[in-house]
Amino acid sequence: MAFVPLPLQKMTLPLALVALISAFGSSFQYGYNVSVINSPYMQEFYNRTYLDRTGVPMDGSFQTLLWSLTVSMFPLGGLFGSLMVWPMVNNCGRKGTLLINNLFSIAAAILMGTSELAKTFEVIILSRVVMGIFAGLASNVVPMFLGEMSPKNLRGAIGVVPQLFITIGILAAQILGLNSILGNAEGWPVLLGLTGIPSLIQLLTLPFFPESPRYLLIQKGNEEQARRALQRLRGWEDVDDEIQEMYQEDRSEKEEGQFSVLSLFTFRGLRWQLISIIVMMAGQQLSGVNGVFYYADRIFESAGVQSSSIQYVTVSIGAINVVMTLLAVSLCSLRACLWDSLSCGCLAGPIPAVMITEMFLQSSRPAAFMVGGSVHWLSNFTVGLVFLYMEAGLGPYSFLIFCAICVATMLYIFFVVPETKNKTFMEINRIMAKRNKVEIQETKELKDSYPLGKQEEKKALSSSEM
């Protein structure tokens, strides 16, 4: 049985809807909660609550520490969420994990929205951890889910959709956080509580869409369900070529078995893939851009921007962030990855998440997302925790450190990471196998051993009758 290249495919309504619902219900909230914490009224609530309890004002150094912890608890929770990716996506599926994950967001939204009534800032800190767990799972599972559902020619563009919604979430929080809307003494609890609405929408709508076809066929062994999912996502009946490509990936992986995180670090055939995602994830988060969004008001105030204009400057940066991500959708290739390294506009790595989906096969992909997500959130946590101290000690020169990290990441991507645009997962696997100096056994006899799809069975029967 000869394999032919998979045809280029068009965007269908079901594929577009599942991408939008997944990104809005999960990725949007990641961005929203990065930016929503940048409110002076929350800090005033901390001071007022502390004064009511102790009778003395909060010390300045203690306030800095407490606020740094509040900010950094979100990425710390993200690290915990990333550590949950591998067991959850393998046992609950990609869609099932996203549905369960909504419960974290809804619970955190209720707690944050009622924190002022309860007169406790500790609830906000706890809720930031819970919201971080949600974001840690979402930032890994959504790209995995959409990457496995997308045809190869749309994988890059669809893979950037979660990042687009992250930037839209940042911008939405900045707009809603204006003093004239919810960024005031009365409105900030509502601003925090709104984060549960996208999760509720996703919880009610995502069950009507299919699970990842690759998960259904390769991990669950259910070709019929995988075929029906593909037919709905592609908009036509004949999906045998993709089914056969999945069987090819499945057969190649069975010789290696399922990967745990430990085996991922010790397997030579994935060495450069693993190094690449660590470098890209760490480099992206250590670019310092999250520090800008976490502490935007304080940074612009120290830079001499008038207090009446700070919020509007912050909103303009959020708008530029969205525009830069839209550009990444049109590039969605290695060139976009280089652009991502140079630009402070593309927050949180649209391309690194896409590259994890593309450079790892089904058996190693969950563990790879777990490693990449852990590096992502650990780096994010570091920036959130130490940024204020760096800014106090080095002032604007602290960004020179971040600049050097961006340049180093760009050079690594240029010289090491391959172009993946319009390539199947197996084609990318062959490219990386050469870099790892390992061989992939792929003979004609091996290809002919895969089960035939229904259409190919009919063709084979008609040929034998002739």
Side-chain angles (χ1 to χ4, degrees):
M1 179 181 67
F3 279 81
V4 296
L6 298 180
L8 298 183
Q9 299 175 21
K10 297 180 180 180
M11 177 72 72
T12 61
L13 182 60
L15 182 58
L17 286 176
V18 75
L20 292 175
I21 291 170
S22 301
F24 176 67
S26 296
S27 305
F28 176 89
Q29 297 182 80
Y30 174 0
Y32 188 89
N33 284 278
V34 165
S35 185
V36 76
I37 201 67
N38 181 43
S39 172
Y41 293 98
M42 277 184 262
Q43 298 181 52
E44 290 179 7
F45 168 67
Y46 278 38
N47 291 331
R48 186 172 66 253
T49 303
Y50 186 85
L51 179 61
D52 291 343
R53 290 177 184 175
T54 64
V56 295
M58 187 181 294
D59 180 73
S61 59
F62 181 65
Q63 181 183 358
T64 299
L65 175 62
L66 196 62
W67 195 246
S68 296
L69 285 174
T70 303
V71 170
S72 58
M73 285 302 102
F74 178 66
L76 181 63
L79 174 61
F80 297 152
S82 294
L83 296 176
M84 296 165 61
V85 170
W86 184 79
M88 288 197 68
V89 296
N90 284 329
N91 291 290
C92 305
R94 281 59 167 155
K95 186 179 79 170
T97 299
L98 290 178
L99 290 173
I100 294 170
N101 197 30
N102 288 314
L103 301 179
F104 289 110
S105 173
I106 294 171
I110 294 172
L111 289 173
M112 289 190 292
T114 58
S115 58
E116 187 181 34
L117 291 174
K119 299 185 183 303
T120 170
F121 53 76
E122 291 86 354
V123 166
I124 296 178
I125 298 174
L126 174 63
S127 300
R128 292 281 291 176
V129 176
V130 176
M131 200 65 222
I133 293 173
F134 168 87
L137 278 164
S139 63
N140 290 287
V141 179
V142 173
M144 187 190 309
F145 182 48
L146 297 183
E148 292 179 0
M149 300 180 94
S150 305
K152 66 176 184 179
N153 59 301
L154 297 176
R155 198 164 55 229
I158 292 177
V160 182
V161 169
Q163 170 59 27
L164 176 62
F165 273 83
I166 290 175
T167 61
I168 293 173
I170 291 171
L171 181 60
Q174 291 168 338
I175 294 173
L176 292 174
L178 293 173
N179 291 336
S180 57
I181 305 179
L182 292 175
N184 48 58
E186 296 77 25
W188 68 263
V190 178
L191 185 66
L192 293 178
L194 287 177
T195 190
I197 294 177
S199 279
L200 184 61
I201 294 173
Q202 179 174 256
L203 191 62
L204 296 174
T205 56
L206 192 60
F208 296 100
F209 292 88
E211 175 61 274
S212 160
R214 304 188 93 85
Y215 171 78
L216 291 172
L217 191 146
I218 297 177
Q219 291 184 248
K220 303 300 288 185
N222 194 323
E223 181 186 331
E224 189 59 35
Q225 285 188 8
R227 185 178 296 277
R228 287 201 300 267
L230 275 175
Q231 288 169 342
R232 186 178 176 193
L233 292 168
R234 301 296 180 258
W236 58 62
E237 293 295 314
D238 187 3
V239 292
D240 286 302
D241 287 341
E242 284 194 80
I243 292 291
Q244 295 307 312
E245 190 263 331
M246 291 182 196
Y247 273 122
Q248 182 183 6
E249 179 181 339
D250 184 33
R251 184 58 178 265
S252 176
E253 291 186 318
K254 281 180 178 176
E255 298 177 358
E256 300 169 356
Q258 283 288 327
F259 282 86
S260 65
V261 172
L262 180 60
S263 60
L264 196 66
F265 275 93
T266 57
F267 184 63
R268 179 179 176 181
L270 295 173
R271 179 178 302 166
W272 280 104
Q273 290 96 313
L274 187 62
I275 294 172
S276 295
I277 65 166
I278 290 174
V279 170
M280 287 190 289
M281 284 294 187
Q284 219 294 323
Q285 288 303 304
L286 294 177
S287 67
V289 68
N290 273 335
V292 174
F293 288 111
Y294 286 145
Y295 305 109
D297 287 3
R298 177 165 177 163
I299 291 171
F300 291 127
E301 184 179 2
S302 65
V305 178
Q306 293 183 354
S307 58
S308 60
S309 303
I310 286 176
Q311 285 192 318
Y312 300 100
V313 173
T314 303
V315 169
S316 67
I317 290 179
I320 293 171
N321 198 19
V322 173
V323 172
M324 298 298 289
T325 308
L326 286 171
L327 289 177
V329 173
S330 63
L331 292 171
C332 59
S333 65
L334 178 59
R335 293 185 297 276
C337 203
L338 291 170
W339 183 255
D340 185 43
S341 300
L342 287 172
S343 171
C344 285
C346 292
L347 168 67
I351 306 302
V354 176
M355 296 297 286
I356 294 177
T357 303
E358 293 184 330
M359 289 198 297
F360 292 86
L361 298 180
Q362 196 78 12
S363 61
S364 55
R365 193 174 293 131
F369 265 101
M370 189 170 168
V371 173
S374 298
V375 173
H376 170 111
W377 288 103
L378 187 60
S379 302
N380 195 330
F381 171 75
T382 302
V383 171
L385 188 62
V386 306
F387 187 88
L388 285 181
Y389 297 99
M390 289 179 60
E391 195 263 344
L394 299 175
Y397 295 105
S398 58
F399 283 95
L400 291 177
I401 298 173
F402 300 132
C403 181
I405 293 172
C406 287
V407 172
T409 305
M410 180 200 68
L411 292 174
Y412 178 89
I413 292 169
F414 183 80
F415 288 108
V416 177
V417 179
E419 178 60 84
T420 60
K421 188 175 182 179
N422 286 337
K423 291 182 174 65
T424 67
F425 293 136
M426 285 302 298
E427 288 170 342
I428 298 167
N429 193 41
R430 293 187 201 105
I431 294 172
M432 296 307 298
K434 292 180 181 179
R435 184 170 296 278
N436 290 316
K437 294 181 173 57
V438 297
E439 293 184 1
I440 296 179
Q441 299 296 328
E442 189 181 3
T443 64
K444 184 178 185 299
E445 180 182 355
L446 184 93
K447 291 179 180 178
D448 289 346
S449 66
Y450 306 138
L452 294 175
K454 290 181 178 178
Q455 298 297 325
E456 292 184 326
E457 286 178 354
K458 292 178 181 178
K459 293 175 184 177
L461 285 173
S462 61
S463 298
S464 63
E465 289 173 358
M466 294 175 62

